[in-house]
Amino acid sequence: MFQDFIEILILSAIQGISEFLPISSSAHLILISNFYDFKTSSLLIDISLHLGSLFAIMFYFKKDLFDLKNNKRLLGLIIVGSIPLMIFGYILHSSDLIHFVRNVEIIAWTTLFFGLILYFSDQGKTEKNISKNLNLKSIIFIGIFQILALIPGVSRAGITITAARFLNFNRVDSTKISFLLSIPALIGASSLGITDAFKQTLEINYLSIIAIILSFLFSFITVKYFLKYVNNFSLNIFVIYRVFLGIILLLIIYL
């Protein structure tokens, strides 16, 4: 039982932290699964981890989400920006094409390449913000970029922040856009997982409850402090991490 808890703790930490940082949660979960044989890893645990992150981001932005009177336009834009990912995500999931890109070699290259793209995007101006400059054109641009997140290693958070920074949104608002776009993405991922779970008649157990709680805690803490971080610092630390990880993986693969 103790070993099961440790495994859930590790998986929850990976999900909660990497889901909202520009480093790719799917890549880290795939990598950890390849190098370690987690007995607790399952479809039900995956769903629970995503639900924990979803509850955390909704709780953090509860004022924005439930203040429809003042945020109706913003929430409408977030829904529109999520449509491209929803469409392509459903196609990849239903056709099983997603399994062709879930390998370490692709993760190595995407981690490295999109880490460098993140660096170049973060060199731009920081003159735009959500309240004045987020419009239909910009959210569609970001939404199209978000499709790339279906490839492990790209990072949904990373690519949306990258797209927003290319449009010269400041780092804090680029991150907020990324966080808000994560809500429909997590709802979609959770819904597909729950549909598959019903097909397999999976039953909720105590490990799934623990996974939701721990994922919620790690996710909430990450969201809170990442926003504070980007308010004072550049994204270079994440670029360095991605480049280092990408190079290490490539050396393992090709040497």
Side-chain angles (χ1 to χ4, degrees):
M1 183 176 176
F2 180 72
Q3 183 179 350
D4 291 343
F5 176 79
I6 295 299
E7 289 185 2
I8 294 298
L9 178 64
I10 293 172
L11 290 172
S12 298
I14 294 171
Q15 167 63 28
I17 295 171
S18 61
E19 176 67 42
F20 300 105
L21 298 184
I23 57 175
S24 181
S25 61
S26 61
H28 284 75
L29 288 170
I30 291 171
L31 289 174
I32 200 72
S33 297
N34 281 350
F35 290 109
Y36 296 96
D37 183 20
F38 282 159
K39 297 179 181 178
T40 57
S41 183
S42 66
L43 174 60
L44 187 59
I45 294 301
D46 288 344
I47 296 169
S48 301
L49 294 173
H50 281 95
L51 285 175
S53 292
L54 174 61
F55 294 154
I57 195 69
M58 291 183 70
F59 182 74
Y60 188 88
F61 285 103
K62 58 184 182 296
K63 291 183 179 179
D64 297 290
L65 295 174
F66 295 107
D67 187 6
L68 295 177
K69 182 178 179 180
N70 295 317
N71 295 303
K72 186 176 181 180
R73 179 178 175 276
L74 172 61
L75 297 178
L77 289 173
I78 294 302
I79 292 172
V80 171
S82 300
I83 292 174
L85 180 68
M86 294 292 189
I87 293 173
F88 280 86
Y90 178 77
I91 292 172
L92 286 179
H93 179 81
S94 59
S95 63
D96 287 332
L97 290 174
I98 190 68
H99 298 295
F100 289 100
V101 294
R102 297 174 70 88
N103 65 72
V104 176
E105 186 173 1
I106 288 179
I107 289 173
W109 284 111
T110 53
T111 297
L112 176 61
F113 178 76
F114 286 98
L116 295 174
I117 297 298
L118 176 65
Y119 171 78
F120 289 115
S121 72
D122 198 40
Q123 305 309 302
K125 299 178 181 179
T126 56
E127 57 189 16
K128 294 183 179 180
N129 57 59
I130 291 178
S131 58
K132 293 182 180 179
N133 305 110
L134 188 64
N135 53 37
L136 187 62
K137 183 179 179 180
S138 58
I139 200 64
I140 290 176
F141 177 83
I142 297 170
I144 291 173
F145 263 66
Q146 191 177 212
I147 295 172
L148 294 170
L150 293 167
I151 306 172
V154 172
S155 170
R156 194 210 56 78
I159 200 63
T160 49
I161 292 174
T162 295
R165 291 292 292 118
F166 272 133
L167 293 176
N168 294 327
F169 282 90
N170 63 63
R171 292 188 185 100
V172 172
D173 280 2
S174 294
T175 304
K176 285 183 178 179
I177 292 170
S178 173
F179 285 167
L180 290 170
L181 282 171
S182 73
I183 296 174
L186 286 167
I187 290 175
S190 300
S191 299
L192 289 174
I194 290 172
T195 301
D196 290 340
F198 274 121
K199 292 178 181 178
Q200 299 179 28
T201 62
L202 299 177
E203 295 182 0
I204 296 176
N205 54 46
Y206 75 96
L207 287 177
S208 62
I209 301 299
I210 293 174
I212 291 174
I213 294 172
L214 291 177
S215 179
F216 175 93
L217 292 174
F218 280 112
S219 297
F220 185 83
I221 292 170
T222 301
V223 169
K224 180 178 180 179
Y225 288 100
F226 185 47
L227 280 171
K228 291 184 178 181
Y229 178 88
V230 294
N231 190 44
N232 297 289
F233 303 100
S234 73
L235 298 169
N236 287 348
I237 187 66
F238 302 101
V239 173
I240 293 170
Y241 173 77
R242 291 183 64 122
V243 170
F244 177 78
L245 178 60
I247 291 174
I248 292 298
L249 290 175
L250 289 172
L251 288 175
I252 293 173
I253 294 167
Y254 295 116
L255 291 183

